[in-house]
Amino acid sequence: MSVETTTTGPTGYSASETVRRILTSTGDTWAVVGLSSNRARAAYGVAAVLQRFGKRIVPVHPKAETVHGEQGYASLADIPFPVDVVDVFVNSELAGGIADEAVAIGAKAVWFQLDVVEDDAFARTRAAGLDMVMDRCPAIEIPRLG
């Protein structure tokens, strides 16, 4: 049985079926790690797109700022309610630790943004039973769902 992917990498870390599942049926509460009120950052625009498509965004940033009308938290562990998807806007060196935190809080999926790739984190997260994609952007993928 082959795995449908949209990458040429051997890990299948952005399988189209997983992308679709996370966007359509995993849940609507998305913790966006790295989201601040800085409008120039990619996380700010992506979070706005997620909101337009019906997702509840939860800003996660050391400053714990309110962004797009949603209360921010300094860390994933500080969020006092369940999170479905953890969307990661940090560099690859830090992303693995965020993936581990996502597992610890009981998230259902982890999404590493464009250019964020960490194969060991992918393996650990999948082994823990979570869906995961890397090097993709939900703001690009969600409109493609039709």
Side-chain angles (χ1 to χ4, degrees):
M1 177 181 211
S2 68
V3 174
E4 177 190 357
T5 66
T6 54
T7 71
T8 57
T11 61
Y13 56 69
S14 62
S16 294
E17 63 198 43
T18 304
V19 168
R20 177 173 289 281
R21 184 171 47 253
I22 291 172
L23 291 172
T24 62
S25 62
T26 297
D28 291 331
T29 302
W30 285 56
V32 183
V33 179
L35 175 58
S36 71
S37 61
N38 183 344
R39 294 172 184 257
R41 302 291 304 217
Y44 190 89
V46 170
V49 170
L50 288 169
Q51 278 187 319
R52 281 197 306 274
F53 281 89
K55 307 298 183 189
R56 175 185 184 189
I57 58 108
V58 182
V60 179
H61 189 278
K63 294 180 183 178
E65 300 172 298
T66 296
V67 183
H68 297 304
E70 295 288 346
Q71 169 62 50
Y73 297 89
S75 71
L76 289 173
D78 291 337
I79 301 171
F81 49 83
V83 168
D84 299 310
V85 181
V86 175
D87 189 4
V88 181
F89 280 91
V90 299
N91 64 45
S92 296
E93 291 76 32
L94 300 175
I98 301 298
D100 295 337
E101 290 176 35
V103 170
I105 66 162
K108 298 174 188 170
V110 175
W111 190 297
F112 281 7
Q113 283 293 325
L114 294 173
D115 298 323
V116 180
V117 176
E118 218 285 45
D119 290 327
D120 290 339
F122 181 83
R124 289 192 312 272
T125 302
R126 294 293 298 130
L130 281 67
D131 274 337
M132 184 169 180
V133 295
M134 297 191 297
D135 195 26
R136 298 287 285 271
C137 179
I140 294 169
E141 300 303 328
I142 204 165
R144 292 179 177 173
L145 296 176

